[in-house]
Amino acid sequence: YSFEKGYGATNKFSRIREHAKRMYDMSDRPKQCERCGYDIHYEVSHIYPIYLFPLDTLISKVNELPNLIALCRNCHWEMDNGLFTLVR
């Protein structure tokens, strides 16, 4: 993806995120926030952020289940903003 072709920062990794959601949904992992238990809506988050992987990393490596976690919108925001960290 490149900014020259009209891709912005918010959708730069959208295909990787879509693949992560599919992989997580097909797994037997909890379909609720793994931090607070909220079960009406969850987002799939990368524990090790996408942008820290080298650009030539396979999507399957980025989206391995041990690197994915279901979080509610609030917990996802808190993790992304350093209010808590995961220890696995």
Side-chain angles (χ1 to χ4, degrees):
Y1 295 98
S2 70
F3 291 103
E4 293 81 27
K5 294 185 179 183
Y7 295 102
T10 57
N11 63 4
K12 184 175 172 182
F13 299 120
S14 62
R15 288 191 180 187
I16 296 172
R17 290 186 186 100
E18 290 168 4
H19 180 264
K21 177 82 165 115
R22 283 194 309 273
M23 297 302 296
Y24 192 92
D25 287 345
M26 290 188 306
S27 76
D28 61 351
R29 301 277 297 275
K31 307 303 189 255
Q32 65 184 33
C33 179
E34 291 188 42
R35 182 172 182 236
C36 73
Y38 184 75
D39 63 356
I40 296 175
H41 171 77
Y42 69 91
E43 301 174 351
V44 176
S45 177
H46 291 86
I47 297 168
Y48 185 79
I50 298 169
Y51 71 90
L52 292 178
F53 284 91
L55 292 177
D56 61 348
T57 305
L58 295 175
I59 291 175
S60 59
K61 178 71 175 167
V62 175
N63 289 337
E64 288 180 337
L65 283 177
N67 191 41
L68 302 177
I69 186 170
L71 296 172
C72 69
R73 186 172 302 221
N74 290 333
C75 289
H76 192 173
W77 184 90
E78 288 177 6
M79 185 180 84
D80 285 351
N81 288 280
L83 298 176
F84 76 90
T85 57
L86 297 169
V87 178
R88 290 228 161 169

